[in-house]
Amino acid sequence: METSFMEQAVRLSFEGQRAGLGGPFGAVVVKDGRIVGRGHNQVTSTNDPTAHAEVVAIRDACRNLGTFQLTGCEIYTSCEPCPMCLGAIFWARPDAVYYACTHADASDAGFDDSFIYEQVAVSPEKRTLKMVHLPWPEAREAFEEWKRSGGKTDY
């Protein structure tokens, strides 16, 4: 782990919040010893609830590297990733994640996502958010077509 990369992630957490762009979160993506993606929280400034620092950094890195996977990369983030960011990180497939603050630290600052961790473990029909399964034959056909198609890019 390189401490200067964590310093950059933490610096971004201050920059974003001081500029009024979002909460106190920052992240960088590193490949071969250099930063290839940067992000700070932009939820409130972009009206995008998915614009968390890690997601912004992943998008930036993928755009810069011309790929949708971050194999061979590491993510340095100022705080332990929330459930959404953790999902995005697993999909991006970096080699490692280093974080400074814990989700308990975030909760203490008013960013409590523990209810999401709890809801993920509950079956859809028992979640606090109404979720209704509407089976639709044509929707499944999209998957069947995908399985039959040649030249697809698996991910």
Side-chain angles (χ1 to χ4, degrees):
M1 182 192 84
E2 177 67 44
T3 58
S4 65
F5 298 135
M6 185 59 78
E7 288 172 0
Q8 289 294 310
V10 172
R11 182 182 57 75
L12 285 166
S13 75
F14 280 101
E15 286 181 11
Q17 73 169 321
R18 289 175 179 164
L21 299 174
F25 302 94
V28 296
V29 178
V30 176
K31 184 173 179 81
D32 299 328
R34 68 180 186 89
I35 295 175
V36 296
R38 292 174 171 77
H40 56 74
N41 185 285
Q42 299 176 26
V43 169
T44 57
S45 60
T46 61
N47 294 319
D48 180 354
T50 69
H52 289 201
E54 297 90 340
V55 172
V56 173
I58 288 168
R59 290 174 180 163
D60 188 42
C62 289
R63 187 172 33 256
N64 291 334
L65 295 173
T67 184
F68 56 86
Q69 291 187 341
L70 298 176
T71 306
C73 296
E74 299 173 327
I75 297 176
Y76 292 79
T77 180
S78 64
C79 189
E80 182 179 359
C82 75
M84 177 189 69
C85 292
L86 187 59
I89 289 166
F90 273 106
W91 278 116
R93 295 176 171 83
D95 294 352
V97 176
Y98 301 96
Y99 59 95
C101 296
T102 67
H103 70 270
D105 297 323
S107 178
D108 185 56
F111 299 95
D112 189 6
D113 54 16
S114 61
F115 74 97
I116 300 172
Y117 286 104
E118 294 165 5
Q119 289 293 298
V120 168
V122 175
S123 63
E125 67 278 358
K126 293 182 180 176
R127 291 182 181 147
T128 57
L129 174 64
K130 182 178 179 178
M131 297 189 74
V132 180
H133 179 212
L134 296 176
W136 208 267
E138 290 82 2
R140 185 168 295 238
E141 180 54 35
F143 287 130
E144 296 304 319
E145 184 177 306
W146 171 261
K147 290 191 292 189
R148 291 189 306 267
S149 67
K152 64 185 173 201
T153 302
D154 290 323
Y155 58 97

